[in-house]
């Protein structure tokens, strides 16, 4: 019930929920075929027929943004899933065993963290090619160190608690202690990081697509649509306004959701 009184959580959940619904509806219905060309409606301004207007090929912007939302949510989901699994495993191992393992693993994470994220993603895309899964790989590698640091910090605090010492004294295997007693109690900050990382993944994917190194045509992407809109910023501003607004709203929604979760989980621990 506390969630109902947290305005950040409520607002973030509403924004993300509406955008998810916007994306989900696109699987079953779009006003027009996203790639349908219409020579008689080139650069048509927003109207009842085309609420978001049309582009330089007469394609309906509303239909294309609905389809492009799939790329944003899919890349955000798979990126967070991969980086969370790898980062938490690395950070938990470093924090639980400490010593040489901690030093080697965290110095590796520091090295990855020192590389500018977008530059590293550009390098991955250039080496392995432009595709959906290569974009997921590039962004996941960028975000692994953040999850590793959060997991390590949580595990370092939990491993010294009395119930962990009692579990060790009882002779339980280290891996059993880690997975059954340590990680379940370290999940709160990881959940918050996952929410914030989703918005970061959407921003990086949009940047890569804008540069032509992310999701490739014929698949639609909000960043790709912004790239196509730059040649008509003054004559057809709706080409950039709607994809840009959707990126902003999705990032804002997940950031608010993360802030709300942080407050709720902090209150729950008090």
């Amino acid at each position: 019930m506390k969630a109902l009184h947290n305005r950040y959580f409520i607002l973030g959940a509403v924004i993300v929920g509406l955008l998810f619904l916007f994306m989900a509806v696109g699987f079953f219905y779009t006003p027009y075929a996203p790639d349908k060309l219409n020579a008689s409606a080139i650069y048509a301004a927003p109207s009842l027929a085309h609420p978001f207007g049309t582009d330089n090929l007469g394609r309906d912007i509303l239909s294309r943004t609905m389809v492009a939302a799939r790329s944003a949510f899919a890349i955000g989901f798979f990126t967070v899933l991969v980086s969370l699994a790898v980062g938490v495993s690395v950070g938990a191992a470093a924090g639980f065993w400490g010593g040489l393992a901690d030093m080697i693993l965290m110095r590796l994470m520091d090295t990855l963290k020192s590389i500018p994220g977008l530059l590293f993603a550009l390098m991955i895309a250039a080496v392995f090619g432009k595709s959906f899964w290569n974009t997921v790989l590039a962004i996941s590698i960028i975000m692994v160190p953040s999850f590793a640091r959060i997991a390590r910090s949580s595990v370092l605090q939990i491993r010294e608690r009395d119930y962990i010492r009692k579990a060790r004294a009882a002779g339980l295997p280290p891996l059993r202690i880690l997975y059954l007693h340590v990680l379940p109690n370290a999940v709160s900050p990881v959940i918050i990081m996952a929410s914030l990382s989703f918005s970061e993944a959407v921003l990086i994917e949009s940047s890569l697509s804008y540069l032509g190194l992310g999701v490739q045509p014929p698949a639609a992407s909000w960043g790709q649509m912004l790239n196509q809109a730059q040649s008509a910023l003054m004559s057809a501003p709706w080409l950039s306004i709607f994809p840009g607004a959707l990126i902003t709203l999705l990032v804002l929604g997940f950031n608010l959701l993360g802030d709300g979760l942080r407050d709720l989980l902090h209150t729950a621990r008090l």
Side-chain angles (χ1 to χ4, degrees):
M1 292 299 294
K2 290 180 180 179
L4 298 178
H5 301 286
N6 188 302
R7 59 184 179 181
Y8 295 119
F9 180 85
I10 292 296
L11 184 56
V14 168
I15 293 173
V16 171
L18 289 174
L19 288 175
F20 183 83
L21 182 62
F22 180 76
M23 179 271 297
V25 169
F27 279 102
F28 307 101
Y29 168 79
T30 54
Y32 300 88
D35 296 319
K36 181 182 179 181
L37 308 184
N38 187 351
S40 64
I42 291 175
Y43 287 137
S47 64
L48 290 177
H50 299 281
F52 285 10
T54 64
D55 63 10
N56 62 322
L57 299 175
R59 296 174 297 187
D60 183 63
I61 298 299
L62 174 57
S63 300
R64 290 183 61 75
T65 53
M66 292 174 76
V67 172
R70 301 176 196 173
S71 298
F73 273 96
I75 284 182
F77 173 78
F78 286 112
T79 296
V80 169
L81 187 66
V82 172
S83 56
L84 185 152
V86 176
V88 169
S89 298
V90 170
F96 189 72
W97 277 285
L100 183 61
D102 183 22
M103 185 184 71
I104 293 174
L105 290 173
M106 296 318 294
R107 293 302 75 75
L108 177 60
M109 294 298 102
D110 289 343
T111 302
L112 284 177
K113 192 68 176 176
S114 68
I115 304 172
L118 185 57
L119 179 62
F120 187 77
L122 290 171
M123 181 184 72
I124 293 291
V127 172
F128 294 103
K130 311 168 189 177
S131 72
F132 174 89
W133 291 110
N134 285 343
T135 301
V136 170
L137 172 65
I139 303 174
S140 297
I141 294 174
I142 293 170
M143 296 197 300
V144 162
S146 297
F147 280 101
R149 284 177 175 274
I150 289 290
R152 176 180 179 271
S153 177
S154 298
V155 170
L156 283 173
Q157 296 176 33
I158 294 169
R159 73 175 187 178
E160 300 303 326
R161 292 181 180 173
D162 290 341
Y163 65 90
I164 300 298
R165 292 177 179 176
K166 290 177 181 178
R168 284 173 170 162
L172 292 179
L175 284 177
R176 183 180 177 86
I177 296 173
L178 177 61
Y179 285 102
L180 293 184
H181 300 286
V182 176
L183 286 181
N185 292 290
V187 72
S188 296
V190 173
I191 292 174
I192 298 168
M193 176 59 68
S195 179
L196 298 175
S197 295
F198 197 108
S199 62
E200 183 183 357
V202 170
L203 276 178
I204 297 175
E205 185 278 327
S206 298
S207 300
L208 289 174
S209 294
Y210 177 82
L211 296 172
L213 295 172
V215 176
Q216 296 298 299
S221 164
W222 292 335
Q224 180 192 110
M225 294 175 72
L226 287 176
N227 176 278
Q228 295 165 354
Q230 64 183 346
S231 61
L233 284 176
M234 301 304 294
S235 58
W238 56 87
L239 295 182
S240 57
I241 288 174
F242 293 108
L246 288 168
I247 293 171
T248 303
L249 281 173
L250 189 58
V251 170
L252 175 64
F254 273 101
N255 281 337
L256 288 172
L257 201 58
D259 287 343
L261 285 170
R262 180 192 59 205
D263 294 342
L264 289 171
L265 293 171
H266 176 71
T267 302
R269 289 196 297 268
L270 295 179

